[in-house]
């Protein structure tokens, strides 16, 4: 079995080495593990990183483009059976690959979602993405929450299914999204063409969330807010938009007021300008996506029953 580990990275953080060490320690018999780092940092070539391939991406590119390019080159170089996509500030348990090897003999899924803990190894960081009827998403730290989508902080995807995604849509992650919500958009499209998702508590990884941008940075809040709107435009059938328009508007307005209060009026202005500027591209990608959905795909299955869930667990149902 060949597994290619795709690591999109800035190559500036000490945690990257922890990620690489964990992959090295997790190696097991009859599994060929190939590591690819995709980065916009040209100095990565001088860092003596012991990986199979370092791909230098244009500096204007984001997470989505890094993953896409690494996957394209991996198919040419290694002919993998699976892709392990992992953030550079995440790492896996030493038995991760061994357990996955056993799992995929018994369970035949296209996407394998591990349970991801915070560095304390006790608190759940995420166990899939909870997708709300407002169009917002949250990495779920509740075992019992209904999560139909996966997180790209750490995920394994069958290469055969990646090929199907590429043939169907022409890309794996939507390059318009750059950072944040790209895994949500991917998961929706993947489910829409019949992709199967499995969640496993014995498949364990760890993640330092917000290590790159910070929890409340303008960069993070802006991209989550704007891309939540964009994912609706990109993937939601029109009837589902109308059905949940009250939920969408309520949370968009509430979150917009909060962000504008925190960051100033430029937050809202920038969201509007960016959306208008990219609208023709958004509609082009939307047409391609919706035309590819299976006719019997029930879009409502991806949703949580809530419009939003706050950090303290409090939920809103509209």
């Amino acid at each position: 079995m060949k597994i290619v580990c795709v690591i999109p990275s800035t190559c500036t953080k000490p945690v990257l080495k922890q990620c690489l060490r964990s992959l090295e320690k997790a190696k097991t018999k009859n599994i060929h593990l190939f590591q690819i780092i995709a980065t916009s940092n040209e100095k990565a070539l001088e860092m003596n990183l012991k990986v199979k391939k370092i791909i230098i991406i244009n500096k204007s590119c984001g997470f989505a483009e890094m993953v896409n390019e690494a996957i394209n080159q991996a198919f040419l170089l290694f002919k993998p059976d699976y892709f392990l996509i992992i953030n550079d500030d995440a790492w896996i348990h030493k038995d991760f690959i061994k357990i996955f090897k056993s799992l995929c003999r018994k369970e035949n899924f296209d996407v394998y979602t591990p349970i991801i803990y915070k560095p304390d190894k006790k608190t759940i960081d995420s166990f899939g993405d909870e997708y709300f009827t407002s169009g917002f998403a949250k990495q779920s730290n509740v075992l019992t929450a209904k999560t139909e989508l996966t997180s790209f902080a750490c995920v394994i995807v069958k290469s055969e299914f990646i090929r199907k995604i590429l043939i169907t849509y022409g890309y794996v992650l939507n390059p318009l999204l750059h950072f944040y919500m790209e895994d949500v958009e991917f998961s929706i499209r993947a489910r829409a063409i019949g992709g199967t998702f499995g969640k496993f508590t014995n498949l364990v990884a760890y993640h330092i969330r917000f290590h790159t941008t910070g929890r409340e940075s303008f960069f993070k809040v802006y991209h989550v807010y704007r891309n939540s709107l964009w994912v609706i435009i990109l993937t939601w059938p029109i009837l589902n938009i109308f059905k949940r328009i009250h939920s969408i508007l309520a949370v968009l307005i509430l979150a917009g007021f909060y962000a504008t209060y925190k960051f100033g009026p430029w937050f809202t202005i920038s969201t509007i300008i960016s959306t208008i500027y990219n609208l023709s591209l958004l509609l082009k990608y939307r047409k391609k996506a919706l035309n590819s959905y299976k006719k019997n795909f029930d879009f409502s299955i991806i949703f949580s029953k809530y419009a939003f869930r706050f950090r303290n667990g409090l939920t809103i149902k509209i």
Side-chain angles (χ1 to χ4, degrees):
M1 184 190 294
K2 295 179 184 177
I3 301 176
V4 168
C5 307
V6 172
I7 311 165
S9 176
T10 59
C11 288
T12 58
K13 297 175 288 201
V15 286
L16 170 59
K17 292 187 176 180
Q18 184 173 9
C19 174
L20 294 174
R21 281 196 301 269
S22 75
L23 293 170
E24 192 65 30
K25 288 179 181 178
K27 285 183 176 179
T28 189
K29 288 182 180 180
N30 302 321
I31 300 288
H32 298 284
L33 215 58
F34 305 101
Q35 299 163 13
I36 294 182
I37 291 177
T39 181
S40 59
N41 184 358
E42 293 180 0
K43 292 183 179 179
L45 296 172
E46 305 166 8
M47 292 175 64
N48 194 31
L49 297 168
K50 296 178 181 179
V51 296
K52 283 291 182 181
K53 182 76 174 176
I54 295 176
I55 302 169
I56 305 298
I57 308 289
N58 186 293
K59 287 186 178 180
S60 63
C61 292
F63 181 93
E65 295 94 327
M66 291 180 186
V67 171
N68 288 347
E69 183 59 27
I71 286 174
N72 288 335
Q73 292 203 29
F75 273 124
L76 296 173
L77 293 169
F78 306 114
K79 295 182 173 61
D81 299 296
Y82 293 91
F83 284 94
L84 167 59
I85 302 165
I86 184 169
N87 282 5
D88 63 352
D89 53 6
W91 60 97
I92 59 175
H93 188 273
K94 63 182 178 63
D95 293 328
F96 187 97
I97 300 299
K98 181 181 177 181
I99 291 169
F100 173 70
K101 180 182 173 183
S102 175
L103 278 175
C104 65
R105 285 174 178 169
K106 304 172 186 175
E107 308 279 1
N108 185 26
F109 289 100
D110 296 313
V111 180
Y112 295 77
T113 299
I115 188 166
I116 304 175
Y117 289 98
K118 292 182 180 180
D120 63 12
K121 300 183 179 180
K122 296 177 182 177
T123 310
I124 297 173
D125 178 77
S126 69
F127 194 34
D129 282 347
E130 188 175 11
Y131 196 45
F132 305 110
T133 56
S134 59
F136 282 82
K138 188 179 288 291
Q139 292 180 326
S140 177
N141 60 3
V142 183
L143 283 176
T144 55
K146 179 180 182 288
T147 58
E148 299 293 335
L149 313 182
T150 195
S151 166
F152 266 46
C154 182
V155 65
I156 294 181
V157 187
K158 191 184 294 184
S159 61
E160 182 183 329
F161 185 66
I162 290 285
R163 285 189 186 279
K164 183 178 179 180
I165 288 281
L166 285 169
I167 291 168
T168 305
Y169 299 108
Y171 53 91
V172 179
L173 298 183
N174 193 307
L176 279 181
L177 298 177
H178 297 295
F179 296 97
Y180 295 107
M181 297 294 290
E182 68 287 313
D183 49 1
V184 170
E185 196 267 354
F186 166 86
S187 297
I188 293 171
R189 287 185 293 111
R191 284 210 173 268
I193 60 170
T196 55
F197 286 53
K199 295 170 62 180
F200 303 94
T201 55
N202 56 344
L203 207 56
V204 177
Y206 309 95
H207 182 218
I208 307 175
R209 195 189 292 199
F210 309 119
H211 190 276
T212 304
T213 59
R215 183 189 291 274
E216 293 294 336
S217 67
F218 177 89
F219 182 89
K220 184 256 177 180
V221 175
Y222 169 73
H223 280 87
V224 168
Y225 182 85
R226 188 202 67 178
N227 288 357
S228 295
L229 172 62
W230 283 17
V231 170
I232 294 172
I233 296 172
L234 287 165
T235 64
W236 286 37
I238 193 70
L239 289 177
N240 282 271
I241 294 176
F242 282 129
K243 184 178 179 180
R244 295 174 173 84
I245 192 67
H246 55 298
S247 180
I248 295 168
L249 291 177
V251 178
L252 272 177
I253 291 169
L254 180 65
F257 273 127
Y258 167 77
T260 301
Y261 171 78
K262 186 175 178 63
F263 299 110
W266 177 243
F267 181 93
T268 302
I269 294 168
S270 181
T271 301
I272 294 170
I273 291 174
S274 181
T275 302
I276 293 172
Y277 179 78
N278 287 283
L279 189 58
S280 62
L281 272 176
L282 287 164
L283 293 176
K284 180 181 176 182
Y285 278 109
R286 171 186 172 81
K287 183 178 179 181
K288 176 68 175 175
L290 267 64
N291 285 343
S292 302
Y293 289 7
K294 284 192 169 185
K295 290 183 179 179
N296 63 348
F297 174 56
D298 181 5
F299 196 84
S300 65
I301 67 168
I302 66 172
F303 292 114
S304 162
K305 61 183 177 181
Y306 303 110
F308 195 71
R309 184 190 296 271
F310 291 95
R311 243 179 263 155
N312 61 4
L314 181 67
T315 56
I316 300 175
K317 192 172 183 180
I318 301 173

